[in-house]
Amino acid sequence: MTATLSYVAAACNRFGQAADISPSSSIVAFGSSRFVALWDLEAPDGTGVYETLPGHNGLITCVKFLSDEWKIVSTVQVHSKSVSTVSVQGDRIVTGSSDSSVKIWTFRQSPNGDEIVKFQALDLKGKYPLASALSYLPQTIVSILAISGTDGNVRIWVCSEEQYLLSATLAGHEDWVRTLAFKPQDTMDSPLVLASGSQDATIRLWNIEPWKKTATNDTQCLSSGPISEILDQFEASLGDLGESEEGGRQISLKQHILTVKTGKETSQQFSVTFDALLIGHEAGITSLSWRPGAAAIAPTLLSTSTDSSVILWSPASALNSLTDSSSSIWINRHRFGDVGGQRFGGFVGGLWARGGSQVLAWGWAGGWRRWAISAPVEVLADENWDERNALSGHSGPVKGLDWSPDGKYIISTGLDQTTRIHAPVRIVADLSSWHEIARPQVHGYDLLNVVFINPLKFASIADEKVLRVFEAPRTFVNLAERLGVAEFSEQEHQRPVAANVPPLGLSNKAINDGPEELVGEIDYSRPPFEGELASMTLWPEVDKVFGHGYESITLGISNSRTLLATACKSTSAEHAAVRVYSTTSFKLVGEPLYGHVLTVTRIAFSPDDKYILTVSRDRSWRLFERQEEGGFKPVAADKSHGRIIWDCSWSADGDIFATASRDKTVKIWHKIDGDKWEALHVIKTQQPSTAVAFTLEKGLKRSLAIGLENGEIIIYSQTSSGEWVPSKTIPPKIAHIDHIHRMAWRPSTENNDELATCSEDGTLRIIKV
C-alpha cells in the first residue's frame, strides 16, 4: 500500500526571508510552520505544494538554496536564539540571530558526510541583525558582507586575509533596516549596487566602485581636507531639523573609502556613496530583490511593503529607451497588490521567478500572490503584467475539517480565524488540481470545528459560546459550477448574491438585491486570487445557536445531517453536557446529555444515527441511544483509558467503534451483549494517539487510520480472521510533523481512498492511500 500527496494547503511563515527560489528559478522553497514546503512553478496541472521537508524543531525564519538537490545533510545549532537572517555565497553561509551575533560558516561536501564549520563570529556590540547580503567587490574576488539591523545603519564588512573586517557604516535610514540586496554586476566596469530597505518606508541605493585618487576627490575623501569638515558640520546641522522636515541625513553624498588587500603585497581602494532615494511606499519595506540579469532589459528592483503593495523600480532612463542606465533617478514603474493601504498586514516578502518573468509575494496571513508578464517585450515600458493563481493555506493550527456530503469539496477551519473551502478545479477535460475556492468565514475568534449541514450550508464553532450557521451565496454556486467542482439545481441558484461584513458588525450579512458587481467582479474561469478570497467569497450568516455556559469546544453532525451536537469547555459535570439541536429549527432536541465530568473532546453519531458516542478529558467514553420521543438516553460507558481520549470513530457498519487516547492506545469496541461493549482489540502506538478514522467500506475488509501526536499516520487493516494489523505507515514527509487534530475519508465513489487530515503544524492535507 503506497501513499501520495493529492493536496497540501500551507501558508508561508511571517518572515521576510522565509522563502527562496532555486537556481533553476522554478522551485520555490518556503518555511511553513516547522517544515520547508516545495512549490514547482512549472507543474503543468497547477499543482501547489508537492513535498514538505521536516527536520526543524522551531518555526522556520529563513530559507536559502545551495543547490537544486535537497536532503538533510547537516543539522547544526548555530545560535542560542532564533535565526533572523541567512545569506549564501558559494560554500559560505552567513547567519544572524536575535542573540545579537553574526556568524560565518563554510559548507563542506565530502564522501563521509557533509558538514558546516564555523569560519568567523562578528561582534555587533549589542546590535540586533535583521538582514545580511553577500557579494564580491567590483573586478575582484574579494567578498563583501552587508549587515543591517535595529539601529538604522548598514555596516559593510570586507574579507581581508580570510577575516571579515568592519570597513564602513552607512547612515541615513531613520528606522530599522529590514532588508538588503546586492545587484549582480552587468559588466566589469559597472559599480556594485547595494539596496537597503527600512521601516521608514524608503529604499536607498549605494554604489560601490573602485576609487581613483585624483586632485578633485582627494579633498572629498573622508580622511582628509577642510571640505570634509565643512560637509560634516553641514550634515550635522541637517540632522537637527524637525521631524516634519524632509531631509535629515538623506542628502549625504559623503564617500566612504574601503582599503582592501587584493594580494599578498597589493591593495586597492573602493568608494561607497549614496546614489538614490526611492520613495513610493506608505509603510515599512519588508523585502528587496533584484531582477535576474538574463531576463532584465534594464535594472529592476522589486520591493514589498506592509502597505499591501509590491513595486518594481527602474531608472528613468530605461523607460525612455536610452542606452545610459546609470541615472540616479529611479521611478515606480509597476505597482501590484491592493489599494487602501496596510490591508491584512500587507506583504511580508517577495521574489523573482522564471528568470524574471514572474513576481511572487506572500502576505501577512501566509497566502501567496503571483504576477506574470503576458508577453515578452523589448522595451521596459511596454511590459504588461497579469495576476496568476498561487498558493494559500491556514496561517495557524488547523483544528477542524469536513467533506461536503457528496465529497465534491472540503471545508477546514483553524486558529487563524478563517474557514476555507478547497476543491479540485478542472483544468482540462480529464485533469484537475486542488485550490482554495472560497473563504466563507473570517472571524474575530479562533475557530475550532466545522461541519456541513448540506452542500451549501455549514455550521462552525469558535472560542465563543455561539454556534454559527452559514449558507452559500449565488456567487459560490456559480463559481463551483463553472470550475467543474459540482452541479446544482435551478432552485439552488435562487439565493442572495453574496455577503459582506457591515461597519461595526461581526456577522456576515447577505446582499440580496442588485447585480453581482456590488461585491466586486468575480472571474468564474479560475479560482479566486488571495486578494479576492477574503473580500468576495464570504457566505451570509443565517443563524446563531446559544445554550452553553462556556466557550464551544467540539461539534458533531448526524449522518442524515438532521441533528447537530455541541459541547463546551468544562471543569464540572454541570457544564460537561452535550446539547443536540435540529438542523432545520436549531431548537434543542430532548434534554442535554449528562455523564461526563470534564470537557467533551469529540462527538460521533453512529452510521444509522441510533447512537451518539462522546469521549472526554475525564478519560471515559459514553454512549447515548436515540428514543422514540426524540431525545437520547445513556446506555453504556467505560473508563479504561489511562489518559485523555482525543478522538473516536464509528465503522461504516456501525457494529464497532474506536477510541484514541493519549495513553498511546487505540481501542476497538464491539457490542457483545445487550448494551455492553468490550474492547476486543487494543492497538499500541509509539506516540500518543490523537485522531482515528474508519474507512467508509462495509464488511470485514475495512481499515482504520490512526493519527499520532508527532504527525505520523498509521493505517491498520482488518484480516479475514478479524485481527487488526498495521499495513502502512505514512511518514512525516507526506503526513504531518505535529499533533493531528482531525481525519476524514472522502465520501466519493471514485476517490474513497483519499484521506483528509489537519494538524497543529498548520496544514490541511489530502493523502491518497
Side-chain angles (χ1 to χ4, degrees), residues 74-137:
S74 184
T75 303
V76 179
Q77 177 80 31
V78 294
H79 291 280
S80 60
K81 294 185 179 178
S82 64
V83 177
S84 56
T85 178
V86 172
S87 51
V88 174
Q89 183 184 55
D91 61 356
R92 191 167 291 170
I93 303 170
V94 173
T95 61
S97 165
S98 54
D99 63 8
S100 187
S101 72
V102 170
K103 296 179 181 178
I104 302 164
W105 311 80
T106 55
F107 177 67
R108 297 174 183 171
Q109 292 179 305
S110 67
N112 300 326
D114 302 336
E115 59 178 349
I116 298 175
V117 181
K118 188 166 147 185
F119 177 80
Q120 186 183 354
L122 306 182
D123 181 13
L124 298 189
K125 298 181 179 176
K127 309 299 181 185
Y128 293 97
L130 297 175
S132 61
L134 283 162
S135 187
Y136 292 103
L137 285 170

Side-chain angles (χ1 to χ4, degrees), residues 1 607 649-654 692-705 715-718 724 744-747 752-755 769:
M1 187 186 290
S649 175
W650 287 91
S651 70
D653 298 281
V692 284
F694 277 103
T695 54
L696 305 178
E697 298 169 324
K698 292 187 176 183
L700 278 178
K701 192 179 179 182
R702 49 195 176 190
S703 299
L704 175 67
I715 308 293
Y716 273 76
S717 297
Q718 191 174 25
W724 289 87
W745 294 91
R746 187 176 184 183
N752 59 4
D753 58 349
E754 288 187 322
L755 177 67
V769 180

Side-chain angles (χ1 to χ4, degrees), residues 87-372:
S87 51
V88 174
Q89 183 184 55
D91 61 356
R92 191 167 291 170
I93 303 170
V94 173
T95 61
S97 165
S98 54
D99 63 8
S100 187
S101 72
V102 170
K103 296 179 181 178
I104 302 164
W105 311 80
T106 55
F107 177 67
R108 297 174 183 171
Q109 292 179 305
S110 67
N112 300 326
D114 302 336
E115 59 178 349
I116 298 175
V117 181
K118 188 166 147 185
F119 177 80
Q120 186 183 354
L122 306 182
D123 181 13
L124 298 189
K125 298 181 179 176
K127 309 299 181 185
Y128 293 97
L130 297 175
S132 61
L134 283 162
S135 187
Y136 292 103
L137 285 170
Q139 304 171 29
T140 73
I141 55 169
V142 176
S143 179
I144 178 173
L145 169 64
I147 299 171
S148 64
T150 53
D151 62 349
N153 293 327
V154 179
R155 288 177 169 78
I156 302 295
W157 299 71
V158 175
C159 190
S160 179
E161 296 183 331
E162 296 301 311
Q163 288 289 304
Y164 282 88
L165 303 175
L166 180 60
S167 303
T169 299
L170 312 181
H173 285 295
E174 297 167 357
D175 208 332
W176 293 7
V177 180
R178 284 196 169 273
T179 177
L180 297 169
F182 278 111
K183 177 183 173 295
Q185 287 181 266
D186 300 324
T187 64
M188 287 290 292
D189 299 331
S190 61
L192 176 64
V193 179
L194 172 64
S196 58
S198 166
Q199 284 193 178
D200 64 12
T202 67
I203 301 165
R204 289 174 169 257
L205 302 184
W206 311 85
N207 278 354
I208 304 169
E209 52 195 335
W211 184 68
K212 296 177 182 177
K213 192 171 182 180
T214 63
T216 305
N217 58 26
D218 189 29
T219 57
Q220 293 179 351
C221 175
L222 285 180
S223 57
S224 61
I227 294 181
S228 175
E229 297 175 11
I230 296 172
L231 286 172
D232 288 345
Q233 293 173 4
F234 176 57
E235 190 173 53
S237 69
L238 287 174
D240 294 335
L241 291 174
E243 290 186 2
S244 61
E245 306 267 358
E246 285 295 330
R249 292 173 292 177
Q250 292 181 352
I251 64 168
S252 169
L253 298 178
K254 182 186 288 187
Q255 282 188 324
H256 299 261
I257 307 301
L258 316 177
T259 302
V260 180
K261 283 193 173 183
T262 54
K264 288 186 177 180
E265 297 180 356
T266 59
S267 63
Q268 188 176 352
Q269 289 186 315
F270 294 84
S271 66
V272 184
T273 53
F274 169 67
D275 182 56
L277 180 68
L278 280 53
I279 300 176
H281 285 292
E282 298 172 359
I285 312 299
T286 54
S287 75
L288 296 171
S289 179
W290 290 97
R291 192 173 191 175
I297 302 168
T300 305
L301 179 65
L302 179 156
S303 63
T304 61
S305 167
T306 54
D307 67 4
S308 294
S309 69
V310 178
I311 294 181
L312 304 187
W313 307 84
S314 290
S317 56
L319 296 183
N320 298 327
S321 303
L322 299 177
T323 55
D324 177 22
S325 63
S326 62
S327 166
S328 292
I329 302 175
W330 288 65
I331 65 170
N332 168 346
R333 181 165 57 82
H334 284 290
R335 182 187 288 264
F336 310 128
D338 299 312
V339 178
Q342 303 207 37
R343 182 176 170 200
F344 308 124
F347 288 107
V348 175
L351 297 168
W352 290 96
R354 304 295 294 274
S357 63
Q358 292 189 4
V359 168
L360 306 176
W362 64 98
W364 186 256
W368 286 82
R369 297 183 69 177
R370 170 164 59 156
W371 297 269

Side-chain angles (χ1 to χ4, degrees), residues 507-684:
S507 302
N508 300 351
K509 298 298 182 185
I511 301 174
N512 290 293
D513 303 318
E516 294 178 9
E517 285 73 20
L518 289 174
V519 192
E521 186 138 358
I522 294 181
D523 186 348
Y524 293 117
S525 66
R526 55 163 176 79
F529 298 139
E530 175 68 21
E532 299 166 342
L533 281 165
S535 58
M536 296 185 189
T537 63
L538 291 172
W539 288 22
E541 184 179 312
V542 295
D543 228 316
K544 292 185 182 72
V545 182
F546 299 87
H548 288 291
Y550 290 95
E551 290 82 358
S552 303
I553 195 71
T554 191
L555 173 66
I557 192 164
S558 64
N559 291 277
S560 63
R561 308 277 168 172
T562 58
L563 297 174
L564 276 171
T566 62
C568 72
K569 296 177 183 176
S570 172
T571 56
S572 67
E574 177 189 358
H575 292 287
V578 174
R579 302 173 72 87
V580 182
Y581 299 93
S582 162
T583 58
T584 52
S585 65
F586 294 104
K587 292 182 178 178
L588 195 64
V589 176
E591 293 296 317
L593 310 182
Y594 291 99
H596 290 290
V597 295
L598 292 175
T599 303
V600 173
T601 53
R602 193 75 77 231
I603 305 168
F605 285 79
S606 63
D608 58 2
D609 294 340
K610 182 180 178 182
Y611 296 104
I612 292 178
L613 172 65
T614 61
V615 296
S616 165
R617 285 184 178 272
D618 64 12
R619 308 177 184 182
S620 73
W621 61 258
R622 293 186 175 271
L623 206 58
F624 301 86
E625 186 177 16
R626 189 162 193 171
Q627 305 300 296
E628 289 185 5
E629 58 269 22
F632 288 79
K633 74 167 187 178
V635 292
D638 182 89
K639 196 176 182 181
S640 61
H641 277 293
R643 301 293 295 277
I644 178 176
I645 305 176
W646 281 118
D647 198 10
C648 57
S649 175
W650 287 91
S651 70
D653 298 281
D655 60 330
I656 60 175
F657 64 82
T659 55
S661 169
R662 196 175 184 182
D663 65 7
K664 299 183 182 180
T665 65
V666 171
K667 296 186 177 183
I668 299 177
W669 302 83
H670 297 245
K671 191 173 184 179
I672 56 172
D673 183 30
D675 290 325
K676 190 175 180 183
W677 295 72
E678 187 175 333
L680 294 183
H681 301 281
V682 178
I683 298 172
K684 295 184 178 180

Side-chain angles (χ1 to χ4, degrees), residues 749-765:
T749 54
E750 299 176 0
N751 300 289
N752 59 4
D753 58 349
E754 288 187 322
L755 177 67
T757 64
C758 64
S759 164
E760 189 73 14
D761 66 16
T763 62
L764 164 74
R765 294 168 187 249

